[in-house]
Amino acid sequence: MATNRTFTMIKPDAVGNGYTGKIIDDILAAGFTIKAMKYIHLTKAQAEGFYAVHSERSFFGELVDFMCSGPIVAAILEKENAVEDFRKLIGATNPANAEEGTIRKKYAKSIEANAVHGSDSDENAEIEGNYYFSAIERF
Ligand code: CMP
């Protein structure tokens, strides 16, 4: 069942480069409502837990180190058709392939330092949101 919610992280590259406000503006301008948000610096274990699904991938170690390299902003977002619309808003995983006007095209440098994460399914949006936010932090 479609939940109309998705989960995002503004990654260490975008936070470190001062793009947090611009990215949140883009998200709100696209019609998303923020249902939960926090500014945190992940430990290695926390990043490994979040990306456990990628643990066999060759880039896993680099991905985890990168996600611990500075603070991030994690958020649950709501909108009709949230997962699909958010993935359109952020653009392709590799910013070199992202369309003009997308968040990754505007603010990302590489496939690893790609500015934002967006859930790839309703099921993962729920799992990922629950990883970061307890029941009383979500409404
Ligand atoms: P994200 O949507 O957060 O989910 C998994 C992440 O792995 C992805 O964004 C990329 O940042 C990262 N990733 C995917 N492929 C590669 C790769 N070949 N090298 C480094 N990082 C990658």
Side-chain angles (χ1 to χ4, degrees), residues 9 11 51 54 59 63 93 104 111-112 114 116-118:
M9 295 178 288
K11 297 188 182 185
Y51 281 117
H54 295 304
F59 56 81
L63 174 61
T93 303
R104 284 174 172 152
I111 193 166
E112 180 180 81
N114 67 352
V116 282
H117 167 82

Side-chain angles (χ1 to χ4, degrees), residues 6-15 20 23-24 27 36-40 42 46-47 49-51 54 63 66-68 70-77 86 90 103-104 112-119 128-129 131-133:
T6 192
F7 171 80
T8 188
M9 295 178 288
I10 303 175
K11 297 188 182 185
D13 58 312
V15 173
T20 304
I23 291 172
I24 293 172
I27 291 170
M37 179 171 271
K38 62 172 70 164
Y39 181 82
I40 41 177
L42 294 173
Q46 288 166 339
F50 182 82
Y51 281 117
H54 295 304
L63 174 61
F66 170 67
M67 290 303 293
C68 301
I72 66 161
V73 175
I76 295 173
L77 306 172
F86 192 70
I90 65 180
I103 288 175
R104 284 174 172 152
E112 180 180 81
N114 67 352
V116 282
H117 167 82
S119 304
E128 292 171 1
Y131 188 80
Y132 279 92
F133 298 98

Side-chain angles (χ1 to χ4, degrees), residues 24 27-28 32-37 75-78 139:
I24 293 172
I27 291 170
L28 295 175
F32 290 87
T33 304
I34 296 168
K35 304 304 289 188
M37 179 171 271
I76 295 173
L77 306 172
E78 189 167 85
F139 59 93

Side-chain angles (χ1 to χ4, degrees), residues 3 9 14 25 28 30 63 95 97 101 105-106 113 118 126 136-137:
T3 62
M9 295 178 288
D25 276 349
L28 295 175
L63 174 61
N97 302 326
K105 186 72 177 183
K106 290 196 279 186
E126 181 147 13
I136 60 162
E137 294 172 315

Side-chain angles (χ1 to χ4, degrees), residues 62-108:
E62 288 167 34
L63 174 61
V64 166
D65 287 347
F66 170 67
M67 290 303 293
C68 301
S69 66
I72 66 161
V73 175
I76 295 173
L77 306 172
E78 189 167 85
K79 182 184 180 298
E80 203 176 306
N81 203 32
V83 167
E84 197 183 331
D85 284 3
F86 192 70
R87 287 174 75 82
K88 277 188 201 142
L89 176 68
I90 65 180
T93 303
N94 186 344
N97 302 326
E99 283 186 34
E100 283 302 326
T102 60
I103 288 175
R104 284 174 172 152
K105 186 72 177 183
K106 290 196 279 186
Y107 306 119

